[in-house]
Amino acid sequence: MGRGRPRKTDPDSALETSMKLFWEKGFDGTSMNDLAAATGMAKPGLYANFGDKEALYSKALTHYFDELGSPLLDELARSPGPLAVVIRRFLDAVTASARDKTNPSGCFVVNSLIDCADRPAPLEDLARAFDAKRYAAFLDRFRLAKRQGELPADADVGALADFFGGQVLALAVMGRAGADRKSIDHVIDMAMTVIPTD
């Protein structure tokens, strides 16, 4: 009896699966064979739909940022709520995502920044560009708070954006390392004390 026709895989589903595999194993730790096995799409199909491994990683990281990162950053930068509430909510959301057992641990962008010693330069540039957008969102929110009088006139909004961007990296790494929620909450509590008040 002959073999049936190969099962077709939806490219959107394949991209989602590829994203999670790269998120879990990194660029160096993931082969095209791994991606074909995980997605159910033969390697020629992967190449036809996404290009080579570098191109697929780029699309996967962009998909992650568009679907998970960008909505959080938009809320951070534009929420009209009180500054401390908005910042705390964002850090809590980062923590929840980093500890979500239905996804690989940590943050894919953060993982991409610290993994893959031999990663192609364009992928490093892409990860840094997404990290810069996080900094820009914090900067926008602190500038808004300063204009609205929630921060003192002499508050250094650039330093605050740098600090809280660093806290996001720390929380993502803690989540990836399996830190318990109580320990992470202590870090967030301490970070919140940095926000100056009149």
Side-chain angles (χ1 to χ4, degrees), residues 30 36 41 45 58-59 63 67 81 86 94 100 107 110 129 135 159 163 173 175 177 182:
T30 306
M41 184 178 284
S58 176
K59 288 179 174 69
H63 177 67
E67 294 296 316
V86 172
V94 169
D100 183 354
C107 164
V110 174
Y135 169 83
F163 174 80
V173 172
K182 184 176 180 181

Side-chain angles (χ1 to χ4, degrees), residues 93-151:
V94 169
T95 299
S97 177
R99 300 184 74 246
D100 183 354
K101 300 304 183 186
T102 65
N103 286 321
S105 60
C107 164
F108 188 12
V109 172
V110 174
N111 293 357
S112 186
L113 286 167
I114 62 178
D115 286 344
C116 312
D118 298 322
R119 176 183 47 195
L123 298 183
E124 183 174 349
D125 292 342
L126 182 64
R128 292 189 185 285
F130 288 146
D131 192 51
K133 289 184 179 183
R134 178 167 38 227
Y135 169 83
F138 273 116
L139 187 62
D140 286 348
R141 189 61 186 83
F142 287 125
R143 283 174 173 164
L144 175 63
K146 196 171 184 177
R147 288 195 302 271
Q148 293 178 337
E150 291 186 277
L151 291 175

Side-chain angles (χ1 to χ4, degrees), residues 7-141:
R7 177 171 59 90
K8 294 200 173 196
T9 303
D10 173 44
D12 290 340
S13 175
L15 182 59
E16 180 78 12
T17 300
S18 298
M19 177 192 77
K20 290 190 175 184
L21 194 61
F22 279 129
W23 183 356
E24 178 183 1
K25 300 178 69 174
F27 179 79
D28 290 340
T30 306
S31 69
M32 289 301 287
N33 285 336
D34 295 331
L35 292 161
T39 63
M41 184 178 284
K43 283 196 287 184
L46 288 172
Y47 285 116
N49 280 280
F50 304 109
D52 62 10
K53 187 174 89 165
E54 180 179 336
L56 179 50
Y57 186 94
S58 176
K59 288 179 174 69
L61 187 59
T62 299
H63 177 67
Y64 171 90
F65 185 82
D66 290 346
E67 294 296 316
L68 300 176
S70 189
L72 285 178
L73 294 182
D74 286 345
E75 182 182 354
L76 169 65
R78 295 176 177 80
S79 175
L83 176 64
V85 172
V86 172
I87 298 298
R88 179 78 194 218
R89 185 167 61 227
F90 180 81
L91 297 179
D92 284 339
V94 169
T95 299
S97 177
R99 300 184 74 246
D100 183 354
K101 300 304 183 186
T102 65
N103 286 321
S105 60
C107 164
F108 188 12
V109 172
V110 174
N111 293 357
S112 186
L113 286 167
I114 62 178
D115 286 344
C116 312
D118 298 322
R119 176 183 47 195
L123 298 183
E124 183 174 349
D125 292 342
L126 182 64
R128 292 189 185 285
F130 288 146
D131 192 51
K133 289 184 179 183
R134 178 167 38 227
Y135 169 83
F138 273 116
L139 187 62
D140 286 348
R141 189 61 186 83

